[in-house]
Amino acid sequence: MTRLRRTPYAFFYLEDDLQLDISGLIRGDAPGAAADARIIALALLTGDRHRLGREELELLASVPAERWVAVAGRDPDLIASLSEKGLLLVDGEVNGHTVLRERDEALSANQWNLYAALYHFMTQWTGVDIGAVDEAAAQFARQTVAQIDAFVAQHGPAPEPFPELSAIEAVRLPGVVRRDGLFATLAARRTTRAFAAQPMKLEELDVVLRYVFGCHGYGEAVPGLVWVRRTSPSGGALHPIEAYPLISNVEGLKSGIYHYRAREHSLGLLAAVDPPEMRRIATSFMCGQGYFGAAHVSFVLTARFYRNHWKYRRHQKAYAGILMDAAHLSQTQYLVSAELGLGAFVTIALNAREIEQCLGLDGVSEGVIAMTGCGPKAAGDSPLSLPISTNPSVDP
Ligand SMILES: Cc1cc2nc3c(=O)[nH]c(=O)nc-3n(C[C@H](O)[C@H](O)[C@H](O)COP(=O)(O)O)c2cc1C
C-alpha cells in the first residue's frame, strides 16, 4: 500500500444512540434518555452501513476523493479499518481492496449519479426469504382474514382508497364502455400465482418476446447513436433494459438461463439447467416466492446502466427513467400475456446480488431491476388471489 484516496460513493449521517439515564431513573425523574449521536457511514461500494469513530471520520476528511495522497504518518489501523469498510481506497495490491477500488472506478466510469447510487446499492437485497424475513408482507401474502384483521388492528386502517377533493362541481362523464380488442385485454389483465403443469407453447413465448422485448425498429440518429423502438416507451429511445428468460417448461426448448437478442429475435442459451433446479433458482431469486418460481418462464429484467448513463450522465432523473422503462415492459408483458390467455406477474422482491452473480453481471454497468414471468394458468383461482369484484360505475 503506498497511496490513499477517499471514495466519493459514501454518505455519512448522525443517528441518536439512546442511552438509558440510570441515575435519573434512581432519582425518580421521568424515564428519558441521553442522546449521544453516533456517526453512521453508508458505503455504496459494499452496500453496508457502519458505525464510525470520530478518529475514523477525521482521517477520512483529511484524504481527498479527487486524487491519491501519500499515507504520510496516518494511523495504519484506522486505514485498514476504513478500507475494509469500503470508505478509503488504497492503491497497492492489498487483498480484497482491489475489488473495491475497481468498483469505485466502475461507478465513476459508468456515470452513476450519487443519489441514484445511494438508493440503488443500499436497497438491494441478498439472502432474503420473504416468508421468514418480511413478516408483514408474509401476513398479507397468506391472505387470512384474521391476519389482515390483526395487521389493521396494529397499524390502523389503510388510507382512503378513493380520495374525493372538495370540488366546485361534480361532472358526470358519458361512461362509454368498450369491451373489444385492447379493452378486453385490459380487463383480463391479472397477476397470476398458480401456473399449470402443462408446458407453454414455443409460439406463445415467441409472441411474448417479439411483442414485449422485441425491437420493432431502430435508426442511427448520428454515427454512434442508435435509437430503438419497442412496443413500450423508453427515455431517450435508448431501451437499456435487457431480458434474461429463465425457462423451465416451454415446448421444444432446453430448460435453462437465456438472453434474449432483441434485434434478431432469437435466444442465446447461457446455461442449461434442469427444470426442477431452474424453478428452485427462480424461486430463490424471487426471495422464496415459489408460486412465481413455478412459472413456465420468468424474465430477469436488467438495466444496462451504461447505455442510459451515456446520454443522461450522472443525471438526477436517469435512475427514475430506468425504473419506468422496466415498469412499462412489465405492463406490456402483462397485456400480451392476457391477450394470449396466459398468466403473468411482476416482482421487485429480489435477491439482486445473487441474480447478478449468477448472470455474471457486475451490478454497476449492468444490474437487476425486476423480474416478470408468464405461462399457462392452473385451473381455478390461487388461494392468494385477491377478493376483488368489478366496480359498477366503471364496468356496469
Ligand atoms: C412493483 C410491483 C411489485 C410486485 N411484487 C409482488 C410480489 O413480490 N409478490 C406478489 O405476489 N405480487 C407482487 N406484485 C403484484 C401485485 O400484488 C398485484 O399487482 C396486485 O395485487 C393487484 O393485482 P392484479 O395485478 O391482479 O390487478 C407486484 C406488483 C408490482 C407493480
Side-chain angles (χ1 to χ4, degrees):
M1 178 213 320
T2 52
R3 297 183 304 163
L4 302 174
R5 185 165 67 72
R6 177 167 47 82
T7 176
Y9 295 103
F11 284 79
F12 306 88
Y13 69 97
L14 297 177
E15 192 175 78
D16 276 352
D17 189 4
L18 296 177
Q19 291 164 353
L20 213 52
D21 181 2
I22 303 285
S23 51
L25 279 177
I26 292 166
R27 280 197 311 273
D29 296 350
D36 180 14
R38 53 188 170 189
I39 306 159
I40 303 294
L42 303 177
L44 310 196
L45 299 185
T46 59
D48 294 327
R49 33 174 282 148
H50 300 280
R51 184 175 183 165
L52 285 196
R54 278 163 210 272
E55 327 74 58
E56 286 181 299
L57 191 64
E58 272 163 29
L59 193 154
L60 273 178
S62 76
V63 176
E66 301 283 291
R67 63 193 161 82
W68 293 97
V69 294
V71 173
R74 293 179 174 92
D75 184 334
D77 290 341
L78 286 184
I79 292 173
S81 152
L82 288 168
S83 54
E84 262 161 39
K85 288 172 181 156
L87 300 169
L88 198 60
L89 304 167
V90 294
D91 77 343
E93 288 305 317
V94 185
N95 279 349
H97 299 323
T98 320
V99 176
L100 292 177
R101 197 177 64 228
E102 283 170 0
R103 201 162 172 86
D104 175 89
E105 286 161 4
L107 275 157
S108 192
N110 282 280
Q111 300 297 328
W112 269 93
N113 174 268
L114 195 55
Y115 306 139
L118 172 70
Y119 179 74
H120 183 77
F121 294 104
M122 296 306 298
T123 57
Q124 281 194 317
W125 283 358
T126 175
V128 172
D129 187 316
I130 276 191
V133 176
D134 189 349
E135 199 40 43
Q139 276 185 7
F140 270 111
R142 285 195 290 272
Q143 290 287 306
T144 67
V145 171
Q147 281 162 331
I148 295 175
D149 265 355
F151 189 94
V152 171
Q154 189 183 354
H155 300 288
E160 172 58 46
F162 308 114
E164 274 180 24
L165 277 69
S166 67
I168 299 163
E169 61 177 312
V171 182
R172 287 203 74 80
L173 293 165
V176 176
V177 176
R178 297 285 300 267
R179 301 196 196 279
D180 52 320
L182 173 65
F183 302 98
T185 308
L186 285 165
R189 187 212 58 80
R190 292 276 181 289
T191 297
T192 296
R193 298 183 186 83
F195 290 91
Q198 91 215 38
M200 180 171 167
K201 294 194 179 81
L202 178 58
E203 291 70 24
E204 291 170 330
L205 178 62
D206 181 42
V207 171
V208 169
L209 287 170
R210 180 183 294 259
Y211 291 99
V212 179
F213 303 111
C215 166
H216 290 261
Y218 59 96
E220 201 166 41
V222 291
L225 171 58
V226 173
W227 282 324
V228 174
R229 177 163 293 136
R230 281 173 166 165
T231 53
S232 298
S234 170
L238 292 166
H239 278 294
I241 305 295
E242 293 295 305
Y244 292 80
L246 310 181
I247 295 176
S248 63
N249 193 9
V250 177
E251 261 172 19
L253 283 182
K254 278 190 193 129
S255 167
I257 303 174
Y258 291 78
H259 174 246
Y260 176 61
R261 299 172 174 178
R263 179 168 53 183
E264 62 193 43
H265 182 58
S266 68
L267 285 170
L269 177 65
L270 304 183
V273 183
D274 68 58
E277 179 61 4
M278 192 68 267
R279 284 191 279 272
R280 190 198 65 75
I281 291 174
T283 299
S284 80
F285 280 3
M286 293 182 275
C287 302
Q289 298 189 81
Y291 39 87
F292 289 161
H296 302 67
V297 54
S298 46
F299 303 99
V300 176
L301 304 190
T302 67
R304 287 189 299 141
F305 298 113
Y306 62 92
R307 178 159 162 88
N308 179 284
H309 295 175
W310 169 83
K311 177 173 180 188
Y312 302 110
R313 301 178 88 78
R314 298 184 191 226
H315 199 292
Q316 289 185 352
K317 298 293 179 185
Y319 188 70
I322 287 169
L323 297 183
M324 291 192 69
D325 280 8
H328 286 123
L329 291 165
S330 153
Q331 170 70 351
T332 305
Q333 197 232 277
Y334 263 90
L335 292 178
V336 171
S337 301
E339 177 68 20
L340 295 173
L342 300 172
F345 69 82
V346 62
T347 179
I348 51 168
L350 303 173
N351 285 315
R353 299 276 174 84
E354 285 84 341
I355 303 175
E356 287 166 0
Q357 204 173 12
C358 175
L359 297 179
L361 308 175
D362 66 5
V364 171
S365 60
E366 180 175 354
V368 173
I369 301 294
M371 278 184 73
T372 65
C374 61
K377 290 180 260 190
D381 245 359
S382 150
L384 299 177
S385 62
L386 304 177
I388 294 178
S389 45
T390 51
N391 173 13
S393 305
V394 172
D395 277 318

